[in-house]
Amino acid sequence: MKLSITVSITSLILVAATAIADCNYSYANPLGSTATSHSYRVAQSAQKQAEDLLSSGNQKFRKKDYNGAIADFSQSIQISPNFEKAVYNRAVAYDLSGNRQSAIADYTKSIELNPQNINSYFNRSVSRRKSGDKQGAIADLNRVIQIDPNYADAYLNRGNLLLDAGEATAAIADFSQLIKLKPNRAEGYLNRGLAKYKMVDRAGALADYDLAIKANPNYDLAYNNRAWTKLEMGDNQGAIADYDRLIQLNPTYSSYYNRANIRRKSGDNAGAVADYTKSIQLQPSNTLAYNNRGIAHNNLKDFQAAIRDFTKAIELNPNAADAYYNRATARQGLQDRAGTISDFKTAAQIYQQLGERKKSTDALALAFQLQNQK
């Protein structure tokens, strides 16, 4: 029955510019009358306190004590409300602590204090995107690019946002600009490849994934995407070769699972069983891996092993209609007529509940056919 590939055609969003600003101590000699000098010394003393709190917050920030850093930055801002570095640093600390709305508010204040603070626009765009405000995120990246047309990461992130919005052509233009600025940035090729893939330009996607791997021979995401594209183009062996390399770099349950599916599709059921087993070891709750390993066992005529796998898939997901259907076929191999009929009927019932009428009708027809056999 079902052969399910875990597809992970992957793009990359970079969160950059999260460095904090350090304080700089520079004071002019006080001038003017005694009263004026006294006022200056008081102001200077308050600013010194604000900068000391900034330094203290920065130390806590570097230790990833974001709440402690926020407390220090907040005191600094209380003393000096327009202290841009403290406002910006608190925004970053809020951002990394997960408080995006407060981060956005502080990035906005930082921009009011310094409209040329490119990091505030860039980071606010990331926070806005994570908060679901994609248009606001794009607007911020537009401003980043206006200020600095050579800001590579802005093209990368804007391209991803445009791609998410279905504007693949505009996304390709941004990724191409990133590549022009940074010819060795593998992410640019990877994401441009994804945009071409979404435009059904498989050959163009494949060429860009090749370039991503040339730029970074250890780029696991590029091998993943290239493998899937090769598979769609009918190059099963090429896809397996890419999964071989991907597994060397990053042996995840999904990479073993996907290679197993391709091996099974290519007729290598024993190799598929070995890969499904690896996948299950890495993620024991993977229902599909048990189901598909069961299919491979079934193809090898190892019906007992197949039934064990389908039964485990059903334990993990009692509504796994495919597992019931497939277990019925394995039981049929063992001439277990009653068990076969029961599983086909259960599969038909679940398919009906899931709205898959054709599958339900097919399973029920097989059950009735067996029932009517003499």
Side-chain angles (χ1 to χ4, degrees):
M1 203 61 178
K2 276 193 176 179
L3 182 154
S4 179
I5 294 278
T6 300
V7 185
S8 180
I9 298 292
T10 313
S11 61
L12 183 68
I13 287 283
L14 288 186
V15 180
T18 52
I20 52 175
D22 284 308
C23 57
N24 296 312
Y25 298 106
S26 60
Y27 303 107
N29 291 324
L31 300 173
S33 66
T34 303
T36 303
S37 297
H38 175 71
S39 298
Y40 187 89
R41 284 196 299 272
V42 170
Q44 184 184 53
S45 176
Q47 184 60 27
K48 176 65 165 58
Q49 289 178 20
E51 291 179 342
D52 285 345
L53 284 163
L54 177 72
S55 292
S56 174
N58 287 350
Q59 290 174 15
K60 291 174 182 176
F61 181 96
R62 292 187 181 101
K63 294 176 182 177
K64 298 186 179 181
D65 176 11
Y66 299 127
N67 290 332
I70 289 166
D72 282 348
F73 296 145
S74 296
Q75 287 187 56
S76 179
I77 293 165
Q78 213 169 18
I79 294 167
S80 181
N82 294 327
F83 191 7
E84 183 203 346
K85 288 180 180 178
V87 173
Y88 172 79
N89 287 8
R90 189 174 68 175
V92 176
Y94 274 134
D95 213 343
L96 294 177
S97 70
N99 187 344
R100 293 194 185 99
Q101 292 308 313
S102 294
I104 289 169
D106 272 352
Y107 286 134
T108 301
K109 177 65 175 177
S110 174
I111 289 165
E112 290 172 1
L113 294 169
N114 179 6
Q116 298 301 306
N117 188 337
I118 198 166
N119 287 347
S120 288
Y121 285 108
F122 185 86
N123 287 358
R124 188 174 69 176
S125 78
V126 175
S127 291
R128 282 178 162 175
R129 176 187 175 275
K130 289 179 178 178
S131 299
D133 181 10
K134 293 182 180 180
Q135 289 306 311
I138 289 173
D140 277 341
L141 292 170
N142 291 342
R143 182 63 181 137
V144 170
I145 291 167
Q146 285 176 351
I147 297 171
D148 181 3
N150 295 321
Y151 200 117
D153 287 343
Y155 291 103
L156 176 67
N157 284 11
R158 190 174 70 176
N160 281 325
L161 286 162
L162 291 168
L163 191 57
D164 285 345
E167 299 180 41
T169 301
I172 287 172
D174 271 351
F175 297 139
S176 295
Q177 184 61 27
L178 166 64
I179 291 165
K180 183 179 178 181
L181 291 169
K182 302 284 185 180
N184 293 322
R185 282 287 293 276
E187 300 96 321
Y189 298 109
L190 177 84
N191 287 7
R192 191 173 68 178
L194 174 60
K196 290 177 180 178
Y197 177 92
K198 289 191 174 182
M199 293 181 73
V200 202
D201 178 8
R202 301 291 190 256
L206 199 62
D208 271 340
Y209 296 144
D210 288 343
L211 290 170
I213 290 167
K214 183 179 179 181
N216 179 3
N218 296 324
Y219 199 5
D220 57 342
L221 297 180
Y223 286 104
N224 178 82
N225 289 13
R226 191 173 71 174
W228 179 250
T229 306
K230 284 180 177 178
L231 184 63
E232 286 201 344
M233 296 174 74
D235 182 7
N236 290 354
Q237 292 308 308
I240 288 173
D242 275 343
Y243 277 119
D244 289 345
R245 179 62 178 148
L246 176 59
I247 287 167
Q248 287 178 348
L249 295 168
N250 187 18
T252 64
Y253 81 91
S254 61
S255 54
Y256 280 112
Y257 176 80
N258 286 351
R259 189 174 69 177
N261 284 332
I262 301 169
R263 282 179 162 171
R264 181 160 64 85
K265 182 180 178 182
S266 302
D268 179 12
N269 287 289
V273 167
D275 274 348
Y276 287 133
T277 301
K278 287 283 190 181
S279 178
I280 289 166
Q281 287 171 353
L282 292 169
Q283 191 184 65
S285 62
N286 188 349
T287 303
L288 291 175
Y290 284 105
N291 179 75
N292 288 7
R293 188 173 69 177
I295 295 172
H297 280 308
N298 214 20
N299 291 340
L300 292 166
K301 308 299 183 186
D302 187 350
F303 301 122
Q304 294 286 4
I307 289 169
R308 284 196 298 271
D309 276 341
F310 296 137
T311 300
K312 181 62 178 179
I314 291 164
E315 287 175 7
L316 291 168
N317 178 11
N319 292 317
D322 288 338
Y324 279 105
Y325 185 100
N326 292 339
R327 191 172 69 178
T329 64
R331 284 180 163 168
Q332 195 169 18
L334 291 176
Q335 299 183 345
D336 176 5
R337 184 178 177 187
T340 301
I341 292 170
S342 175
D343 275 347
F344 275 139
K345 285 185 175 179
T346 303
Q349 183 180 9
I350 297 172
Y351 282 138
Q352 183 69 27
Q353 292 169 356
L354 295 173
E356 299 186 61
R357 294 182 180 178
K358 185 179 184 307
K359 288 183 178 181
S360 177
T361 301
D362 290 346
L364 204 56
L366 289 169
F368 286 148
Q369 182 181 339
L370 282 170
Q371 274 183 329
N372 294 329
Q373 282 180 356
K374 294 183 180 178

